[in-house]
Each structure stands twice: as C-alpha cells, then as structure tokens.
Amino acid sequence: MEIILAKTAGYCFGVNRALDAVDKAIEDGQVHLIHTLGPIIHNPQVIEKLEERGVKTVQGLDEIEKGTIVIRSHGVGENVIKEAEEKSLNLINATCPYVKNIQKRVKKYYDEDYQIVIIGNKDHPEVKGINGWCNNSGIIVDDKNNVPNVAKYDKICVVAQTTITNELFIAITEKMKEQHNNVAIFNTICNATKERQEETRRIAQDVDCMIIIGGYNSSNTQKLVSISKKYCNNTFHIETKKDLDMDKIKKYEKVGISAGASTPQWIIEEVINFMENQENNMENMNSTYEDTFKSFRKGSIVEGKVISASKDEIIVNVGYKTDGIIKKSEYTKDSDVDLSTIVNPQDNIEALVLNIGTDI
Ligand code: SF4
C-alpha cells in the first residue's frame, strides 16, 4: 500500500496561534482561572487534554465571574468583547487574523449603510461572531439554490465564512451580481482553507481510497470529506485511529490522507503508525510520511511571501502546511513601530523558524 499524506494536513496557523495563547496563559500561572469561550478547537481529544491541564470550556460569559477568558480563532461579536471588558475579565483575544479582518470589514461597511451578506453556515460560531459586528443584521446564505433577493437594498457587502468552498462562494455571488449592480464582494475564504481543499481534491482524484482525519463536528473537516467524496467514492472520515477499519482499507493500493485544521499532528502520526503496523510494504509508506514532516526544522532560515501585516504581527506564507506568524517583538526591538507601515502584502521576506506546530 502506498500512502499519500497531504502536506496541508493538520493545524492551520490560526488554530496554532489560539492554542499557543492558552499554553502561554497556563505557563503564566493562570491555570485555575482559564476559560475558553466554546471549545478552543473542534477536536475532542485536544479539549480533553486541556481539561486535564485545568482549562475549562464555558458556553457564555454568564458562567464566569473572574479570571481569564480566551476567545477562540472563530472570534465573537462586538458585544461579547464589550461584555468581557465590562466584567473586567482578563481577555485573551485569539481570533484568527483572517477572521478579524472580516469582522473589521463588516463593521466598516455596516457603518456605511451597506446591507451585509455572509455566505456560510448560520449556526457556525465564526458566522455568528461576524454577524455580531453588524448588529446581527446580516443576511446569511449557504445554499446556491436559495439565494435571497437582495435587489431591494441600495448597496450590498458580501463576505464569506473562511472555510466554505470556493465553488459555493462563486455560485452565490454570481447570482447576486445578476440581481444587483452595487455589490461589494470580498472573497474571504482563507488561504489555508483554499490550499487544503485544493490539495485534498488533487489527492482524491489520484488514489483508490481517502482517509480524512478530524473532529466529526469540525466544519472544515466536513468540507474536506464532501470534496473528497466527489472525486473518490471510497472516502472515510475518522477522528482517531480507533475509527479506522483496516479490513475496509487494506484492499486499496493507493491511500490518500488529509486532515482538518483542528487535527493535531500526533493524531495523524498515530493513524499512520497504525496503518504501518498493519502493512508489509513499509518502505513506500515511510518515505512519503517522512517527506511531509521533514520539510522544516527549528532554526532554519526560510523564504516566504507576506500575506498580511497588522500593527503587531506579520503573516507569512512559507510554503509549509500552515502559514508563519512573526510578532513585532521578533521583528524589531522598537515597540512603537506599526508593522503595517513598513511591511506590505506580497513582500518577500526571510524568516527564522522558531517553532513548528503545537503538540497539545
Ligand atoms: S482555517 Fe483559516 S481562518 Fe480559520 S483559523 Fe485557520 S487560518 Fe484562520
């Protein structure tokens, strides 16, 4: 059996960043008072490990009187931030910068009297959070056959949940453009998602069987499963190696593996090790697995392209499965500098690899 492991499999940088924030809070000794608003990622195994380390998941701020609250990468509405501040909670806002940019855009256009349209799942926390930046007035649509009539509005601003498929985004925005000639359209699907979905599609076209690893409740993992099923009938969604039925898998010669943005590397490794132990043809499997994880080392210098720069951090595409993040303190000793004034999207940049992933 030959195994092809997607290079994009596993944590994206937004999830890494949120987990790092929780890690840092634990290291700072706030463990008995750390809460996350909703599960920090859609992966029950990781949540369980965090609970063992004293981190409590709460569903609302009414459950907390004091201590630290970590906002996960999905972000929250403006009112939740205000409420946390009013309660004088120690707020750690780990909203992914991609999502933060959508929130800022929605607020700006809402203030300019645009009707906001969000393409995504109305029940997803990221979408609820984005809607919270336009006073929950957004029209939310996730079906190309059910696009609402927006002709009655003067001007429309359309954004997307970061993890929807490009196909859905294009289908819905094309229909809106037919109805309206003043539509500001922003394709806010994040790069990490696009690359992961594209790679999953490529691999699914080329293999006999696909295994998608990730939480059963993880939206981005579910999308990978549906993309994979389009191109490969033998697609299996598993959370951990325990869900893997080797009797069904072992008959295939070429097996592809992809994983959602909330899937830790140790779960992916466990699945592959389990498959290795079940197979005689170790040589093929080892080489593909090693190739994927060997591409970066701590301490190496890498070249990348700037995706975005804010006042305090730069996001860089370094051609790895997750984007890199450079904090201001790592870029300059001058704490007054606004990084967005000296670094621009598309700039080439050299970076030193300080850390890879988070092994929670
Ligand atoms: S999937 Fe994209 S938007 Fe979502 S947390 Fe990861 S990097 Fe951020």
Side-chain angles (χ1 to χ4, degrees):
M1 181 191 290
E2 181 188 0
I3 291 184
I4 298 175
L5 174 62
K7 289 189 168 65
T8 49
Y11 287 165
C12 63
F13 95 98
V15 166
N16 253 330
R17 191 170 170 274
L19 288 168
D20 281 348
V22 176
D23 244 2
K24 186 165 179 310
I26 295 171
E27 279 165 22
D28 289 349
Q30 305 169 27
V31 69
H32 58 296
L33 292 170
I34 298 177
H35 314 86
T36 66
L37 192 51
I40 190 87
I41 64 173
H42 292 299
N43 186 285
Q45 292 73 30
V46 174
I47 298 299
E48 205 179 298
K49 282 181 183 262
L50 283 174
E51 277 168 5
E52 283 164 14
R53 297 169 75 196
V55 178
K56 192 173 170 205
T57 303
V58 293
Q59 301 307 325
L61 292 184
D62 51 335
E63 295 176 43
I64 316 171
E65 286 312 317
K66 58 181 181 175
T68 294
I69 183 77
V70 183
I71 305 296
R72 56 189 171 176
S73 56
H74 295 320
V76 291
E78 194 175 15
N79 61 326
V80 179
I81 303 284
K82 282 188 184 148
E83 193 184 336
E85 285 167 356
E86 277 161 19
K87 288 185 100 165
S88 300
L89 297 173
N90 177 30
L91 178 69
I92 299 178
N93 191 345
T95 304
C96 174
Y98 284 126
V99 179
K100 190 79 217 147
N101 283 340
I102 304 174
Q103 295 173 344
K104 281 187 200 159
R105 188 162 270 152
V106 162
K107 184 168 173 53
K108 173 178 179 290
Y109 279 82
Y110 175 69
D111 287 346
E112 291 172 14
D113 295 327
Y114 278 73
Q115 171 61 47
I116 304 297
V117 176
I118 306 167
I119 304 179
N121 177 350
K122 67 178 173 31
D123 297 321
H124 193 279
E126 179 190 311
V127 172
K128 287 182 178 172
I130 293 168
N131 202 17
W133 291 84
C134 59
N135 210 15
N136 297 311
S137 65
I139 296 171
I140 301 170
V141 51
D142 70 347
D143 185 347
K144 65 181 175 189
N145 298 315
N146 202 11
V147 176
N149 190 338
V150 288
K152 63 180 174 183
Y153 301 105
D154 279 351
K155 38 193 186 178
I156 313 288
C157 167
V158 186
V159 296
Q161 181 182 346
T162 53
T163 50
I164 65 164
T165 62
N166 212 31
E167 203 180 11
L168 179 67
F169 181 81
I170 289 168
I172 291 178
T173 50
E174 284 305 315
K175 286 199 173 175
M176 286 197 172
K177 279 193 273 183
E178 284 167 16
Q179 296 175 18
H180 213 291
N181 56 12
N182 192 4
V183 192
I185 295 175
F186 300 99
N187 185 338
T188 50
I189 302 171
C190 93
N191 260 349
T193 301
K194 279 183 205 153
E195 283 169 15
R196 188 187 308 266
Q197 291 177 349
E198 184 52 28
E199 193 185 18
T200 299
R201 185 189 60 74
R202 275 200 312 272
I203 295 176
Q205 281 174 320
D206 187 44
V207 296
D208 311 312
C209 160
M210 275 298 279
I211 298 170
I212 311 290
I213 312 170
Y216 291 130
N217 291 329
S218 155
S219 157
N220 79 86
T221 306
Q222 287 165 2
K223 300 266 166 44
L224 294 181
V225 174
S226 80
I227 289 169
S228 178
K229 278 185 175 165
K230 267 193 197 162
Y231 300 96
C232 177
N233 288 334
N234 311 310
T235 294
F236 300 92
H237 180 184
I238 63 169
E239 262 188 6
T240 69
K241 68 168 189 187
K242 289 194 192 109
D243 308 323
L244 196 60
D245 184 348
M246 276 309 283
D247 285 341
K248 286 188 183 153
I249 310 287
K250 66 185 179 197
K251 61 185 176 206
Y252 300 112
E253 284 184 6
K254 211 170 178 185
V255 177
I257 296 182
S258 184
S262 312
T263 310
Q265 190 168 310
W266 61 266
I267 288 187
I268 301 171
E269 289 182 30
E270 264 186 7
V271 170
I272 292 173
N273 287 338
F274 181 72
M275 292 173 75
E276 276 181 347
N277 291 337
Q278 308 282 319
E279 269 291 322
N280 298 325
N281 188 2
M282 303 281 284
E283 226 171 276
N284 262 344
M285 293 200 291
N286 280 337
S287 62
T288 314
Y289 168 73
E290 286 296 315
D291 283 352
T292 304
F293 283 112
K294 243 197 280 183
S295 42
F296 273 121
R297 289 274 177 266
K298 275 189 191 178
S300 58
I301 306 274
V302 295
E303 284 187 7
K305 209 174 258 305
V306 173
I307 296 172
S308 69
S310 66
K311 187 166 163 278
D312 296 316
E313 59 189 23
I314 305 166
I315 298 164
V316 190
N317 179 353
V318 289
Y320 187 52
K321 61 181 182 171
T322 177
D323 296 329
I325 187 154
I326 302 172
K327 296 184 180 129
K328 180 153 57 180
S329 59
E330 293 159 355
Y331 188 87
T332 174
K333 288 194 168 64
D334 183 352
S335 58
D336 294 331
V337 161
D338 176 348
L339 292 177
S340 66
T341 62
I342 50 176
V343 178
N344 296 307
Q346 298 304 313
D347 282 358
N348 292 319
I349 195 165
E350 275 195 344
L352 174 69
V353 179
L354 294 176
N355 194 15
I356 305 169
T358 303
D359 290 330
I360 283 182

